Amino acid sequence: MIITPSLILFFTTLMLGTTLSISSSSWFGAWIGLEMNLMSFIPLIALKNNQYTSEAALKYFLIQALGSTMIMFSASLILLNNSISIILILSLLLKLGAAPFHFWFPQVMEGLNWIQAIILMTIQKIAPMILISYLSFSPLSKYFILSAAMISAIVGAIGGINQTMLRKILAFSSINHMAWMLTAIIISEISWMSYFLFYSLISSSVALFFYSQQAFHYMHLINFMNSSFSSKLINSFSLLSLGGLPPFTGFMPKWFIMQEMITNQLFFPLFILLFSTLITLYYYLRISLSFFLLMTSKTKWNLKSNFSKKIPTFFIFFNLFGLFFPSFFFLF
């Protein structure tokens, strides 16, 4: 991706919109921040004038516009009836892409490149999730958030099983991780922030690896030829870390959330989250094993890369942190 002044401008306003939304003292200010964020991300999506980016930009705009309309409607009525906050939560779940309003998220991801996908999976989730945390004060609100979390866990796990497109796999993986983050919001903001930080770094490292290989399909990973055995091994560990397999780094935030859920006696939601995580590990293991079991000289093709062939050292160290320092777990 070529960095241009317009790209820097839109990314800056995107971050400013997120900051304004989470720091506003009124729902009107939060709505303005969300709209600024939306109108900054649309040009970032439509960098290339082709069918896929135009379709993704249009779908994203329509969904976010619907969510913004619901926010304005419910925020104007929240003073009359506190139960209207449920509509506000549903509108934020729509903007977030959490189940049962997840239908647009994999389709938009399919039309993005990997750098845009990283922004959609990480930065674009900050403002809606923090706004949801402001609404998790009543038992009814917590019930709706926890229900959305369990549905997101199931949808994210089952939806990615038969997928062969890597962006859709990461999209359903993101939906599954949103279940853990929504549950963490109910418990405490520190738990949510810790999980989100770990998730952002690990998912970014995986997406940067796919970007370095210009891989968009499952077969691209099977047949790429410009990596050593150690590189394949480290990238496989990164995928397993994203799935939360112990003792990799991705297991650490899940372990913290599990402890908090047991303390709060959320046993049934914990069972749903753990069961869905085991299902997501299936398609992570399928990708990882393909690096070593399906590599033949007859099926290789050369993939040109516009990025470094190696993942930055920081991401490699971060994903293997739990493996190299198992004693770190016992500090908590």
Side-chain angles (χ1 to χ4, degrees), residues 46-146:
L47 287 176
K48 294 182 179 179
N49 188 17
N50 57 53
Q51 177 182 358
Y52 301 104
T53 57
S54 300
E55 181 181 355
L58 181 60
K59 288 180 179 178
Y60 185 79
F61 173 77
L62 293 176
I63 293 297
Q64 297 298 314
L66 176 60
S68 298
T69 304
M70 293 175 62
I71 289 175
M72 289 300 295
F73 173 74
S74 56
S76 62
L77 298 178
I78 196 171
L79 297 176
L80 302 178
N81 190 351
N82 289 331
S83 62
I84 300 297
S85 62
I86 301 302
I87 302 178
L88 196 56
I89 292 176
L90 296 178
S91 63
L92 292 172
L93 291 175
L94 175 64
K95 295 181 75 70
L96 190 61
F101 309 107
H102 65 282
F103 52 89
W104 63 271
F105 193 77
Q107 298 179 21
V108 172
M109 279 280 290
E110 187 65 21
L112 306 180
N113 62 37
W114 285 116
I115 303 300
Q116 297 165 349
I118 291 175
I119 296 175
L120 182 60
M121 290 189 297
T122 57
I123 298 176
Q124 296 300 93
K125 296 184 184 301
I126 297 176
M129 281 196 168
I130 291 182
L131 293 177
I132 287 176
S133 68
Y134 296 159
L135 298 170
S136 60
F137 53 84
S138 65
L140 184 61
S141 299
K142 291 182 179 179
Y143 172 78
F144 272 86
I145 295 173
L146 195 59

Side-chain angles (χ1 to χ4, degrees), residues 20-61:
L20 175 62
S21 182
I22 64 180
S23 60
S24 177
S25 59
S26 65
W27 283 106
F28 181 73
W31 173 77
I32 292 177
L34 290 173
E35 290 302 303
M36 184 184 299
N37 179 277
L38 167 62
M39 300 311 295
S40 300
F41 190 54
I42 294 296
L44 293 179
I45 296 178
L47 287 176
K48 294 182 179 179
N49 188 17
N50 57 53
Q51 177 182 358
Y52 301 104
T53 57
S54 300
E55 181 181 355
L58 181 60
K59 288 180 179 178
Y60 185 79
F61 173 77

Side-chain angles (χ1 to χ4, degrees), residues 16-276:
L16 288 176
T18 300
T19 305
L20 175 62
S21 182
I22 64 180
S23 60
S24 177
S25 59
S26 65
W27 283 106
F28 181 73
W31 173 77
I32 292 177
L34 290 173
E35 290 302 303
M36 184 184 299
N37 179 277
L38 167 62
M39 300 311 295
S40 300
F41 190 54
I42 294 296
L44 293 179
I45 296 178
L47 287 176
K48 294 182 179 179
N49 188 17
N50 57 53
Q51 177 182 358
Y52 301 104
T53 57
S54 300
E55 181 181 355
L58 181 60
K59 288 180 179 178
Y60 185 79
F61 173 77
L62 293 176
I63 293 297
Q64 297 298 314
L66 176 60
S68 298
T69 304
M70 293 175 62
I71 289 175
M72 289 300 295
F73 173 74
S74 56
S76 62
L77 298 178
I78 196 171
L79 297 176
L80 302 178
N81 190 351
N82 289 331
S83 62
I84 300 297
S85 62
I86 301 302
I87 302 178
L88 196 56
I89 292 176
L90 296 178
S91 63
L92 292 172
L93 291 175
L94 175 64
K95 295 181 75 70
L96 190 61
F101 309 107
H102 65 282
F103 52 89
W104 63 271
F105 193 77
Q107 298 179 21
V108 172
M109 279 280 290
E110 187 65 21
L112 306 180
N113 62 37
W114 285 116
I115 303 300
Q116 297 165 349
I118 291 175
I119 296 175
L120 182 60
M121 290 189 297
T122 57
I123 298 176
Q124 296 300 93
K125 296 184 184 301
I126 297 176
M129 281 196 168
I130 291 182
L131 293 177
I132 287 176
S133 68
Y134 296 159
L135 298 170
S136 60
F137 53 84
S138 65
L140 184 61
S141 299
K142 291 182 179 179
Y143 172 78
F144 272 86
I145 295 173
L146 195 59
S147 299
M150 290 188 290
I151 297 174
S152 297
I154 297 173
V155 169
I158 298 177
I161 291 179
N162 293 325
Q163 297 294 332
T164 57
M165 305 300 294
L166 298 178
R167 285 169 293 189
K168 283 192 174 181
I169 289 177
L170 283 191
F172 284 106
S173 172
S174 179
I175 294 172
N176 182 265
H177 282 283
M178 272 190 281
W180 289 88
M181 287 184 276
L182 289 173
T183 307
I185 286 176
I186 298 176
I187 297 172
S188 68
E189 291 187 3
I190 296 178
S191 300
W192 169 77
M193 292 175 64
S194 301
Y195 193 100
F196 181 77
L197 178 62
F198 277 88
Y199 163 73
S200 298
L201 291 174
I202 297 173
S203 61
S204 297
S205 68
V206 173
L208 285 175
F209 164 64
F210 292 155
Y211 178 53
S212 68
Q213 300 297 329
Q214 289 297 292
F216 299 98
H217 193 272
Y218 175 67
M219 292 300 297
H220 293 170
L221 291 179
I222 295 177
N223 295 290
F224 81 88
M225 56 187 299
N226 295 321
S227 294
S228 61
F229 177 82
S230 60
S231 177
K232 300 188 188 80
L233 188 63
I234 291 173
N235 294 321
S236 299
F237 287 166
S238 299
L239 287 169
L240 297 179
S241 178
L242 181 62
L245 182 69
F248 298 106
T249 305
F251 174 70
M252 295 170 61
K254 282 186 169 62
W255 189 35
F256 299 153
I257 301 300
M258 283 189 286
Q259 289 180 327
E260 294 292 338
M261 293 181 70
I262 293 174
T263 303
N264 290 274
Q265 298 183 351
L266 299 174
F267 299 112
F268 181 71
L270 178 59
F271 171 77
I272 297 296
L273 293 181
L274 290 177
F275 181 74
S276 64

Side-chain angles (χ1 to χ4, degrees), residues 279-293:
I279 298 177
T280 58
L281 278 173
Y282 162 72
Y283 47 83
Y284 290 130
L285 284 170
R286 182 181 62 178
I287 297 175
S288 301
L289 292 177
S290 67
F291 287 137
F292 309 105
L293 299 181

Side-chain angles (χ1 to χ4, degrees), residues 4 14 31 58 108 294 302 319 331:
T4 60
L14 182 143
W31 173 77
L58 181 60
V108 172
L294 301 177
N302 188 18
N319 283 317
L331 297 178

